[in-house]
Amino acid sequence: MKIILETKRLYLREFIPSDGFHFYHLNNNPEVIKYTGNSAFCSLKEATDFIINYPDYKAHGFGRWAVCLKETDAFLGWCGLKLETAINEIDLGFRFYQNEWGKGYATEAAEASVKYGFSKLNINEIFGRAYLENKASIKVLKKCNFKFVKKINYDANPAVLYSIKNDRS
Ligand SMILES: CC(C)(COP(=O)(O)OP(=O)(O)OC[C@H]1O[C@@H](n2cnc3c(N)ncnc32)[C@H](O)[C@@H]1OP(=O)(O)O)[C@@H](O)C(=O)NCCC(=O)NCCS
């Protein structure tokens, strides 16, 4: 198990095959995927195969990470960075089990992911995209000091683009 970073309450680690269970159940909740453009996995095996074949750590040295509670090791959701190769931009993303919403976990994990991206990976700028209706997601970006860039279409939905720049770059 490779731990990437720690915060007060959380640690973020690389995915392991058993996270397929959590990916399956996360995406199986229509409320969780409502503003993501994703679908539910067809089966636990499909979700597990997705994790086993997740290419980003080897390809880029970073990716999305599992967010776990230090106190219990419970898997709460995922958060982290993704190189969007088609546009050469690095995106911040997050997704948590619905029963964990509103406890500040997304903000805590997102802030730490950005800090890691800037200090350890020397990334110049990180982008965040959210459907206009996804108020919680936009709130998290704002709390992490992301600034509004422009309105966009994201998976054919009205959305917003935010970004944060590395002040060392
Ligand atoms: C978006 C998501 C990750 C936020 O996770 P979280 O752990 O609840 O986030 P936090 O608790 O750190 O912060 C959420 C903030 O949004 C606010 N919020 C939540 N729902 C809101 C709403 N409908 N309108 C306005 N603000 C809202 C909360 O009050 C909180 O702000 P506060 O701390 O100032 O009170 C979570 O809702 C989620 O997993 N959603 C489904 C997946 C998803 O949409 N991911 C993002 C795709 S771009």
Side-chain angles (χ1 to χ4, degrees), residues 31-32 35-36 94-96 100-108 129-130 134-137 139-140 143:
E31 288 300 311
V32 169
Y35 303 124
T36 67
F94 29 72
R95 189 174 304 180
F96 286 80
E100 303 295 352
W101 293 358
K103 300 178 186 173
Y105 292 144
T107 305
E108 192 168 324
R129 293 167 183 78
N134 196 348
K135 303 296 180 206
S137 182
K139 189 80 187 280
V140 171
K143 285 201 291 180

Side-chain angles (χ1 to χ4, degrees), residues 22-117:
H22 297 295
F23 270 65
Y24 177 71
H25 286 285
L26 266 175
N27 282 22
N28 217 22
N29 180 347
E31 288 300 311
V32 169
I33 56 170
K34 192 171 177 184
Y35 303 124
T36 67
N38 287 162
S39 314
F41 289 100
C42 294
S43 63
L44 177 58
K45 183 181 181 311
E46 189 189 36
T48 304
D49 286 346
F50 171 81
I51 296 293
I52 289 169
N53 296 312
Y54 184 72
D56 291 34
Y57 308 140
K58 272 204 184 110
H60 313 303
F62 61 86
R64 310 294 201 199
W65 300 297
V67 180
C68 301
L69 194 61
K70 275 182 180 173
E71 204 179 331
T72 60
D73 287 323
F75 178 107
L76 305 174
W78 58 256
C79 179
L81 306 171
K82 177 182 183 184
L83 176 63
E84 299 283 5
T85 49
I87 49 175
N88 199 29
E89 280 180 5
I90 293 171
D91 170 89
L92 174 75
F94 29 72
R95 189 174 304 180
F96 286 80
Y97 276 127
Q98 191 173 7
N99 62 334
E100 303 295 352
W101 293 358
K103 300 178 186 173
Y105 292 144
T107 305
E108 192 168 324
E111 272 180 338
S113 298
V114 167
K115 192 172 165 201
Y116 180 89

